[in-house]
Amino acid sequence: MVMEKVMTFDVERIREDFPALKSMMHGKPLVYLDSAASSQKPEQVIAAMDQVYRTVYANVHRGVYTNSEVSTELYDQARAKIAHFINASTPEQVIFVRNATEALNLLAYSYGRHFLKEGDEVVLTQLEHHANFVPWLVLAQERGVKLKYIPLASDGTLDLSTLPELLTPRVKLVTFAHVSNVLGTITDPRLIIEPAHAIGARVIVDGCQAAPHMPVDVQELDCDFYAFSGHKMLGPTGIGVLYGKPELLDAMPPFLTGGDMINSVSMEGATWADVPAKFEAGTPAFVQAIGLGAAVDYLTALRMDAVREHERELVRYGLERLSELSGLTLLGPTDPSIRGGALSFTVKGIHPHDLGTLLDREGIAVRTGHHCAQPLHTCLGLTATARASFYIYNEPREVDALAEGIEKAKRVLHK
Ligand SMILES: Cc1ncc(COP(=O)(O)O)c(C=O)c1O
């Protein structure tokens, strides 16, 4: 039951960079197992933002004075770093948004309302986060677009054998999570993208739980759009990314309108700036974008294949350790090679909220509830689960602490 050491990865060293991990919760050292909700931040990211606020801070794209130019330059550099991180061919394919939710809404409002008409079909999956569910539900209700779902197989993977039946000529768009935030299931995007493209449909990948945890190459995937949030990958809140193919971004109308996104405005009308500015109305969250650039530098230095390997090993250990506990049911695939860093489970006779509250008293932070995936929970016949999720700074001893915390909760609640 010993976890194999991932040689390239020095977790003790990494933890030194994360001030919040040194904090206490209820008098116990914090065991932070909720990175799927949001990750902690390293000093390097905090310092990058602090540095801007203390020195060159000025609004971007607006001034000819030096600090505005330097801020603009740093913002542009952040875009280039993120493009490189996901292997987009140009920085202009990276649009800064607030988070993945905004990226997916942008697509539903701009692409969906412009290109989809009554009778068209959108294919989703049963395991989507609400962020990739609700915008399409609203579109369907408003425009008479039909939604169809790739079903869940009993092992927690998507049943892709249904694709030939689902991908009919009316399907114009397919959208799915690269990694499930509840089951941890990793879906190989190419298995959906290739058949979807073969029928002429466009494909959106919700990469919120993938981009922080594994190498992502949008050119190799050949996805049309890829969305993710900065705050789940060491970056600050308020910044996220929408990647899109240039010909699609060019053809799409703006989502929000106002300053910074126009070419010219007259009393009679307006024309739009080129991408990405067309989709970045108003003062952007440029300090946060610079912070996300620093986060990407941090992850790149660790190497994303090593990040993935570290988490795969933690998940393997977590699956092994938790499956030893009586009354505990693990959800999702049992094979760690097709699992991301989220481990959801139920414990017989204990409501997840009670379990989460008792774990909190032990200093252990886990997520409980439906994790913004109610349709998935309905498919599983559950209303709530507990979820532990791992990242670069987690260690096997924290998996042990979780297992011991669950055993203690069982003793408290079952006595
Ligand atoms: C798979 C997935 N998609 C989308 C989101 C939405 O992310 P955000 O709340 O940062 O917009 C999440 C957040 O947990 C997620 O896990």
Side-chain angles (χ1 to χ4, degrees):
M1 213 205 295
V2 175
M3 183 174 144
E4 285 166 32
K5 199 156 169 53
V6 179
M7 296 312 291
T8 51
F9 226 74
D10 186 349
V11 181
E12 286 304 321
R13 175 56 220 92
I14 289 170
R15 289 179 72 87
E16 287 299 310
D17 291 332
F18 289 80
L21 294 180
K22 296 177 187 121
S23 61
M24 306 289 277
M25 211 160 70
H26 301 292
K28 309 253 169 75
L30 173 67
V31 173
Y32 187 74
L33 299 177
D34 196 20
S35 294
S38 203
S39 76
Q40 296 297 338
K41 320 299 169 198
E43 296 281 9
Q44 290 82 340
V45 168
I46 299 166
M49 292 171 43
D50 186 69
Q51 170 83 356
V52 175
Y53 281 128
R54 287 176 188 279
T55 57
V56 294
Y57 179 85
N59 207 338
V60 291
H61 301 148
R62 301 227 170 147
V64 289
Y65 57 94
T66 305
N67 282 1
S68 176
E69 284 173 353
V70 174
S71 289
T72 305
E73 174 65 22
L74 291 172
Y75 183 47
D76 291 344
Q77 280 173 12
R79 195 188 303 279
K81 283 178 190 179
I82 289 146
H84 187 254
F85 185 69
I86 57 169
N87 197 30
S89 49
T90 65
E92 289 71 35
Q93 289 167 291
V94 166
I95 293 162
F96 283 123
V97 288
R98 270 192 310 140
N99 47 35
T101 301
E102 187 172 294
L104 294 161
N105 272 278
L106 187 161
L107 291 171
Y109 277 90
S110 172
Y111 188 89
R113 279 161 181 76
H114 191 70
F115 288 107
L116 302 188
K117 55 182 190 321
E118 192 174 344
D120 284 345
E121 297 177 349
V122 176
V123 172
L124 285 76
T125 85
Q126 288 183 334
L127 56 66
E128 295 315 303
H129 186 282
H130 293 166
N132 199 26
F133 232 123
V134 185
W136 307 112
L137 282 175
V138 172
L139 176 74
Q141 283 159 7
E142 201 181 294
R143 294 289 165 99
V145 167
K146 186 176 168 197
L147 304 185
K148 302 198 294 195
Y149 300 93
I150 303 175
L152 207 58
S154 55
D155 64 355
T157 61
L158 291 174
D159 182 359
L160 299 184
S161 71
T162 57
L163 280 179
E165 198 185 315
L166 286 169
L167 293 176
T168 54
R170 282 177 182 267
V171 174
K172 296 293 181 297
L173 199 59
V174 179
T175 179
F176 64 95
H178 191 165
V179 177
S180 161
N181 65 314
V182 179
L183 302 177
T185 313
I186 301 174
T187 299
D188 179 351
R190 285 166 305 189
L191 298 179
I192 299 180
I193 293 168
E194 280 168 24
H197 280 171
I199 60 147
R202 297 296 183 182
V203 184
I204 300 168
V205 182
D206 172 359
C208 226
Q209 298 293 344
H213 303 284
M214 60 187 68
V216 170
D217 182 333
V218 288
Q219 292 191 69
E220 191 191 325
L221 294 181
D222 194 30
C223 52
D224 298 296
F225 301 101
Y226 197 95
F228 54 99
S229 291
H231 68 93
K232 293 183 198 286
M233 50 190 290
L234 312 182
T237 52
I239 191 77
V241 171
L242 172 65
Y243 156 85
K245 284 186 177 164
E247 65 277 17
L248 298 175
L249 295 173
D250 285 341
M252 283 159 54
F255 171 41
L256 301 175
T257 54
D260 266 6
M261 54 71 67
I262 51 89
N263 183 18
S264 71
V265 183
S266 69
M267 300 284 182
E268 288 72 39
T271 56
W272 314 136
D274 290 338
V275 171
K278 182 172 77 173
F279 293 108
E280 293 182 2
T283 297
F286 62 94
V287 180
Q288 289 82 344
I290 293 164
L292 181 57
V296 158
D297 285 343
Y298 192 95
L299 289 169
T300 304
L302 289 180
R303 295 178 46 133
M304 288 310 289
D305 52 352
V307 169
R308 168 69 192 134
E309 185 57 21
H310 167 72
E311 285 181 27
R312 194 191 58 76
E313 196 46 36
L314 269 177
V315 167
R316 186 197 64 72
Y317 184 58
L319 288 168
E320 181 183 301
R321 193 75 173 80
L322 295 192
S323 63
E324 289 164 356
L325 307 185
S326 65
L328 188 144
T329 305
L330 281 157
L331 304 172
T334 50
D335 176 359
S337 66
I338 55 162
R339 283 199 75 124
L343 274 188
S344 295
F345 54 91
T346 56
V347 180
K348 197 164 175 226
I350 304 183
H351 192 280
H353 289 309
D354 294 336
L355 179 62
T357 306
L358 289 175
L359 288 173
D360 173 59
R361 286 196 211 153
E362 301 301 313
I364 303 167
V366 298
R367 185 87 161 179
T368 61
H370 52 61
H371 318 297
C372 297
Q374 276 186 323
L376 169 63
H377 279 77
T378 304
C379 290
L380 299 170
L382 298 167
T383 50
T385 51
R387 181 186 72 189
S389 54
F390 308 124
Y391 207 16
I392 51 171
Y393 35 67
N394 289 118
E395 303 180 282
R397 67 166 176 83
E398 295 179 301
V399 176
D400 293 334
L402 173 66
E404 283 152 24
I406 295 169
E407 287 293 41
K408 189 164 176 188
K410 278 162 56 182
R411 285 196 298 276
V412 170
L413 291 167
H414 287 158
K415 70 169 183 251

